[in-house]
Amino acid sequence: MRFNNKEMIHVSHSNPVLEGRMSYAKMSNGYTSKGFKERWFRLKYNLLFYFKINGFGQVDLHQPAGVFVLENSIVRLENNMPGTLFSFSLSFKDEPDKKYIISSQSEDHVHQWIKCIQSSTYEYMRTRMTSIQKKIVQLTGRVRTYYYLSNVGNFSSCVIAEI
C-alpha cells in the first residue's frame, strides 16, 4: 500500500473511529527511549495517526507527526509498566524487539482503544467474514455462492467464491 503525504493528510482529517490525548514511548530491548511524549491520537480504518501537542496544550491537526499501519500488529494490556497507571502496548510481528507503550487517563479508555485497534485490521475483518460464512452454511446446510465485483485497472471483473 502506498500513500503520498497529501493523501495521508486527507485521510487523517476525515472522521475518526476513535481519538484522544495519550502519551507514548518507544521501547526497545526492554528499555524506553527518550521517555513519554504526549500526543493526540486518531484511529481511522487500519491507520493510527498521532499529532503533536504544543507547549500550550493545543493540538496541531494540520499534519500528522506519524502514523502506525496496524496490519500485523499485536495490541496488549500492560498492567505493570513503571510510570503509567493505565497503558497498553503496540508491537508488530516483523519487529518483535520493539514495542510502543501508550498510556491513557483511565482503564476504560485503554480497553476502548484496545478493542478498536484489534477490530480495525484487515486480518480481523477477514476472520470475521469467514466465521459468518461458516455460520450461514451451518444454519442453511447449503453452500452459497457469492459474487464480488473488483475493479482492476480500467476493467471490472467478477470473482465467484463458494463457501
Side-chain angles (χ1 to χ4, degrees):
M1 169 176 22
R2 298 184 100 185
F3 286 106
N4 65 32
N5 285 342
K6 190 175 180 180
E7 291 168 329
M8 289 300 278
I9 291 170
H10 178 73
V11 171
S12 74
H13 290 155
S14 61
N15 290 335
V17 172
L18 186 61
E19 67 181 325
R21 186 183 301 251
M22 297 187 289
S23 298
Y24 88 103
K26 183 178 177 182
M27 190 174 226
S28 186
N29 296 321
Y31 298 99
T32 59
S33 60
K34 300 181 184 177
F36 281 85
K37 298 174 188 172
E38 190 175 35
R39 297 288 186 253
W40 185 263
F41 285 83
R42 278 187 167 174
L43 179 63
K44 181 68 177 184
Y45 308 121
N46 64 342
L47 303 171
L48 181 60
F49 295 96
Y50 56 95
F51 299 83
K52 289 185 178 180
I53 298 174
N54 68 20
F56 300 108
Q58 297 170 326
V59 180
D60 179 15
L61 293 175
H62 292 96
Q63 186 168 351
V67 64
F68 294 106
V69 179
L70 297 171
E71 295 307 320
N72 295 312
S73 65
I74 301 163
V75 62
R76 290 191 178 115
L77 182 64
E78 293 286 341
N79 289 326
N80 300 323
M81 288 304 302
T84 65
L85 289 176
F86 312 109
S87 60
F88 63 95
S89 65
L90 182 63
S91 59
F92 297 89
K93 293 176 185 173
D94 59 344
E95 295 180 312
D97 294 339
K98 284 190 217 174
K99 70 179 176 178
Y100 299 88
I101 305 300
I102 303 172
S103 69
S104 185
Q105 68 268 16
S106 73
E107 187 174 354
D108 290 338
H109 199 237
V110 166
H111 287 292
Q112 184 181 19
W113 274 98
I114 290 172
K115 183 178 178 182
C116 286
I117 289 171
Q118 287 174 334
S119 62
S120 69
T121 65
Y122 172 77
E123 294 171 68
Y124 174 83
M125 299 288 186
R126 185 174 174 192
T127 302
R128 184 114 166 95
M129 184 183 77
T130 303
S131 173
I132 291 169
Q133 288 173 338
K134 286 179 182 178
K135 284 181 183 177
I136 291 170
V137 170
Q138 288 174 349
L139 291 171
T140 63
R142 293 188 236 150
V143 174
R144 301 272 188 213
T145 303
Y146 293 91
Y147 298 90
Y148 301 97
L149 291 177
S150 63
N151 193 2
V152 180
N154 293 330
F155 302 99
S156 291
S157 62
C158 183
V159 178
I160 301 173
E162 289 188 22
I163 59 168

